[in-house]
Amino acid sequence: MKTDRQLKQEVEEELDYDPAVNAAEIGVEVKERVVTLSGHPSSYAEKIAAEKAAQRVAGVKAVVVAMAVRLPGEDIRTDEDTASAVRAMLRWTVGLSEEAVKVQVENGWVTLRGEVASAHLSHLATRTVSHMRGVTGVSNLIEVTSGKAAQNIAEKIGRALERHAQREAKHIAVEVRDGTVTLRGKVDSYAGRSAARGAAWSAPGVHAVIDDLDVG
């Protein structure tokens, strides 16, 4: 098992390796394999990238995010301008109208509300907004409408798990109830955990995913 010192060094190296992260802006502390990231990334996208970089390091049990986005001067916009840009991106990139998803912006933090037909659209909306300049954070309060639930959701997710994370698939139990998927079991890494969540969210008829997976 890696020591906390080894994990700290490897997390710092992974941050430095990731082109989406300015490692000089991020502080790393490790205690009992729990990584705490601090500092002031220059964008919300960089904050997410730093978190994912730490999660990729084998042996990391959990990641605590204590970072606050500090936008450079050229990226600071009024909330009105940010809201207009977000609405345009959702309309042209995700295909969501103003009637489907309402946008609220406060100090650069974007809150999305509304209803969409699938969990995939909800996640796509969040991912799109998260990479926009001038955004300091995103809260996704979008609801997925019931619609017609797909049949054999658990079976579809199981097959997807075998395609995306074959080694972990046999250790993951999938439970489905009223469109809510619960994942239980143990995976070797955050990458396997991410693959399992992605497989669950992508299945037709899924409205929510509860992640009870353990890493390590």
Side-chain angles (χ1 to χ4, degrees), residues 7 15 50 66 128 132:
L7 285 175
L15 290 172
T128 299
M132 294 179 63

Side-chain angles (χ1 to χ4, degrees), residues 31 38 46 49 57 93 119-120 134 157 160 187 199 212:
K31 184 176 182 181
S38 60
E46 182 182 358
V57 177
T93 306
H120 171 71
I157 293 174
V187 292
D212 283 342

Side-chain angles (χ1 to χ4, degrees), residues 3-175:
T3 66
D4 285 348
R5 179 177 295 182
Q6 287 175 303
L7 285 175
K8 175 179 167 63
Q9 180 179 344
E10 291 187 11
V11 170
E12 289 173 340
E13 290 175 352
E14 188 66 20
L15 290 172
D16 190 55
Y17 180 76
D18 193 324
V21 178
N22 182 356
E25 298 175 337
I26 311 298
V28 179
E29 295 296 332
V30 182
K31 184 176 182 181
E32 296 179 356
R33 296 191 295 138
V34 175
V35 176
T36 299
L37 301 176
S38 60
H40 298 281
S42 61
S43 69
Y44 185 58
E46 182 182 358
K47 179 180 178 180
I48 294 174
E51 181 181 357
K52 289 183 177 180
Q55 292 174 344
R56 285 196 299 266
V57 177
V60 170
K61 184 168 64 174
V63 177
V64 177
V65 179
M67 299 179 288
V69 175
R70 183 178 292 169
L71 297 174
E74 62 270 21
D75 283 351
I76 297 177
R77 293 166 170 79
T78 67
D79 288 343
E80 291 77 9
D81 286 344
T82 299
S84 295
V86 169
R87 283 194 290 266
M89 286 293 289
L90 291 177
R91 183 170 67 252
W92 293 107
T93 306
V94 188
L96 296 175
S97 67
E98 293 183 28
E99 291 73 24
V101 174
K102 304 299 182 183
V103 177
Q104 176 184 328
V105 183
E106 183 174 354
N107 296 324
W109 193 286
V110 178
T111 300
L112 304 175
R113 293 184 174 87
E115 292 186 352
V116 295
S118 69
H120 171 71
L121 278 176
S122 174
H123 279 270
L124 184 57
T126 300
R127 187 172 62 187
T128 299
V129 176
S130 297
H131 286 84
M132 294 179 63
R133 296 177 67 178
V135 170
T136 58
V138 180
S139 294
N140 184 345
L141 303 181
I142 298 173
E143 296 182 0
V144 179
T145 55
S146 297
K148 184 178 179 180
Q151 300 298 315
N152 303 319
I153 293 178
E155 182 181 345
K156 292 178 185 294
I157 293 174
R159 290 201 298 268
L161 285 174
E162 291 177 358
R163 295 194 299 271
H164 302 169
Q166 185 175 16
R167 186 170 61 178
E168 284 88 357
K170 59 185 177 181
H171 301 299
I172 298 175
V174 180
E175 298 177 12

